[in-house]
Each structure stands twice: as structure tokens, then as C-alpha cells.
Amino acid sequence: MDILIIDETTSIPASSLHVFESDGHHIETADDHSRALERIHEKNFGLVILSNGPGKDDGVDLLRQIIAIKPRQIVTILAHQSSTAEPLRTL
């Protein structure tokens, strides 16, 4: 499966990426939201992992954009702040 990991702050350790790769998955990373949206337009991913850490961009806004582009996209969000929970409930 092709997996896109969006992580501005590199909070996802390399060892975690290795686990996916060792299971035969192809990992791509994007370190900003513009690049992530570009890749989502270009390719179909089985899974998008969005690390919503203390970066400069809002992960909830990015999630809305991803769903607008590919409504059936599976997205897992790693929320690093409790303030992320409330906006996610509204989606």
C-alpha cells in the first residue's frame, strides 16, 4: 500500500517509518501542506497519516482540503494538542 505521511515537525520517528516499509508498504513524506496536496492530486494513496503537531499550518484545514479532493481518502490524524479534538468533531 502507498502511504503518505504529512509531518511538518518530523515528530514521527524514522523507526516508525521503517515498520511500514518492512511490511512492504511504500512510504512518501511531505513536510508541508502544499506539497501534501500536490502529492494527493498526483497519486492515489491507500492511507494518509496527518501529524497535526505545532507546525505553522492547521491540520484540520488540511484534512478538509484532502476530503474535498478525494472524498473517500482514508486519513489517520496524530493529534499532538488537545485543542485539535473539538474541530475534528465538527467534520
Side-chain angles (χ1 to χ4, degrees):
M1 173 185 345
D2 290 332
I3 300 172
L4 175 64
I5 298 177
I6 306 164
D7 187 10
E8 290 183 325
T9 61
T10 61
S11 60
I12 299 175
S15 59
S16 296
L17 302 179
H18 179 69
V19 169
F20 288 119
E21 292 173 331
S22 67
D23 280 345
H25 301 292
H26 178 258
I27 303 297
E28 291 188 36
T29 59
D31 60 2
D32 65 48
H33 292 191
S34 297
R35 178 71 180 137
L37 291 172
E38 182 180 297
R39 293 301 299 138
I40 289 168
H41 274 290
E42 296 171 350
K43 185 173 182 176
N44 291 320
F45 290 94
L47 174 64
V48 173
I49 299 174
L50 171 56
S51 178
N52 192 27
K56 63 179 179 167
D57 293 321
D58 179 14
V60 175
D61 184 52
L62 177 60
L63 176 61
R64 286 187 178 113
Q65 292 176 59
I66 292 169
I67 299 305
I69 296 166
K70 294 196 176 166
R72 299 180 62 89
Q73 179 64 61
I74 297 171
V75 180
T76 297
I77 299 174
L78 304 176
H80 299 277
Q81 302 170 0
S82 60
S83 62
T84 304
E86 190 58 37
L88 289 176
R89 281 191 208 108
T90 66
L91 292 174

